Amino acid sequence: METRRLRLLLELSRRGSMRDVADAMHLTTSTVSQQLAVLAKEAGATLLEPEGRRVRLTPAGRRLAEHAVTILAAVDAARLDLDPGAVPSGEVRVAGFATAVRRSLLPAAAVLARDHPRVRLRIHEHEPSEAFALLAADAVDLALTYDYNLAPAAFDATVETVPLWSAPWGLAVPAAAPGSGFADFATADWIVNSRNTADEEVVRTVASLEGVVARIAHRADSLDLVEDLIVAGLGVGLLPADRPAAPGVRLLPLPGTPALLRSWAVVRRGRAGWPPLALMLRLLRSVPTA
């Protein structure tokens, strides 16, 4: 059923005559009559019956008019909710990797709590492949993901991306180990992420350019655990250079092009205009990049 016809039926229930409805809606009486006849066919019920020279709603017509109140109110609420100029309100479901949650999402959450209490966050910690799967399934509204400049992600045409920040990464080695460059550790055992392959691609790319094959020995998701493994002398790995290394860990530059982790906010195409999500994207972009 078209909502414009439901509105005509509701107006008739309130005003009592086709002429009054036509005047109020800036239509001809004939148009109102024709549209209500179509509505009756759509509903599969008789909605009007003659009453002298006028018409009145049948019991089915009155029930449909009562439904029309709820239906039209819901449509109006939906239009307001989707209006780019509307006050943001609703629940935003976010899947993101831990660093982005801490660095980008928590500052944004503080602003929401202070200035936009009608917007609520639901936060799930996930690596990029997991977050993309949730986004594709419409299980989340926003994914915070990452790639590396040396292992760029290929974003699907069904999503829109917003760059947030980048951070340099370096080679993390035991502090007491001899050597001062990548070549001194290239043949060591390597520690890579257990839930994402991007850093492994970087390791293999850099090692290949140096003429060696990286030997992957251990996989760990937690950066703290990676550091513990390095301190224990079990291997080397990549770690962010913009945070202090743990005691017992030394960070060295990678050869060639600096390795940068790049953070992205990703939404399904066409969704970025939804007011709560548009607000979140603005807040995430406003978080300092350093």
Side-chain angles (χ1 to χ4, degrees):
M1 303 177 196
E2 287 197 9
T3 55
R4 61 193 180 95
R5 295 182 185 127
L6 286 174
R7 192 171 297 280
L8 291 176
L9 181 70
L10 182 58
E11 289 296 325
L12 180 60
S13 73
R14 291 170 173 171
R15 300 178 185 274
S17 80
M18 294 269 197
R19 180 178 294 278
D20 288 343
V21 173
D23 291 342
M25 304 298 289
H26 305 290
L27 300 170
T28 65
T29 303
S30 175
T31 298
V32 174
S33 177
Q34 291 170 4
Q35 292 300 307
L36 290 177
V38 173
L39 180 62
K41 291 181 180 179
E42 292 175 340
T46 301
L47 303 178
L48 307 176
E49 60 186 6
E51 185 182 45
R53 299 178 64 182
R54 306 177 67 173
V55 296
R56 66 183 178 189
L57 272 60
T58 64
R62 290 195 298 272
R63 290 200 303 275
L64 185 55
E66 291 171 357
H67 284 299
V69 174
T70 303
I71 293 168
L72 295 172
V75 171
D76 289 341
R79 285 175 176 153
L80 179 62
D81 183 46
L82 298 176
D83 179 2
V87 175
S89 176
E91 180 178 284
V92 180
R93 304 161 299 169
V94 186
F97 66 106
T99 301
V101 171
R102 295 189 186 100
R103 181 169 177 170
S104 299
L105 198 55
L106 293 183
V111 176
L112 287 181
R114 185 188 69 224
D115 299 335
H116 305 279
R118 295 173 61 184
V119 177
R120 302 175 304 280
L121 290 180
R122 294 292 180 266
I123 302 171
H124 310 263
E125 189 267 321
H126 285 285
E127 283 292 310
S129 61
E130 301 161 343
F132 279 124
L134 291 170
L135 194 67
D138 206 19
V140 297
D141 307 297
L142 170 65
L144 301 180
T145 73
Y146 67 87
D147 68 357
Y148 293 89
N149 62 325
L150 299 180
F155 293 110
D156 191 275
T158 61
V159 302
E160 299 178 44
T161 61
V162 176
L164 297 179
W165 47 265
S166 62
W169 279 50
L171 172 62
V173 303
S180 59
F182 183 88
D184 299 315
F185 298 95
T187 58
D189 287 344
W190 281 87
I191 308 160
V192 297
N193 195 324
S194 61
R195 292 166 60 196
N196 192 358
T197 61
D199 67 326
E200 181 178 345
E201 292 180 41
V202 173
V203 167
R204 293 191 183 280
T205 297
V206 174
S208 176
L209 292 174
E210 293 299 304
V212 296
V213 176
R215 185 171 65 246
I216 307 301
H218 312 288
R219 299 180 184 274
D221 177 55
S222 164
L223 294 181
D224 292 335
L225 180 55
V226 172
E227 289 181 320
D228 290 343
L229 294 175
I230 292 171
V231 172
L234 295 176
V236 299
L238 299 181
L239 286 177
D242 61 347
R243 71 167 197 161
V249 176
R250 179 162 52 106
L251 208 63
L252 304 176
L254 291 171
T257 303
L260 294 176
L261 180 145
R262 305 180 300 189
S263 175
W264 305 88
V266 186
V267 300
R268 294 179 68 177
R269 186 165 296 280
R271 300 286 183 88
W274 181 45
L277 192 52
L279 171 63
M280 281 305 307
L281 293 175
R282 289 197 302 271
L283 292 179
L284 290 171
R285 285 195 297 264
S286 70
V287 173
T289 58

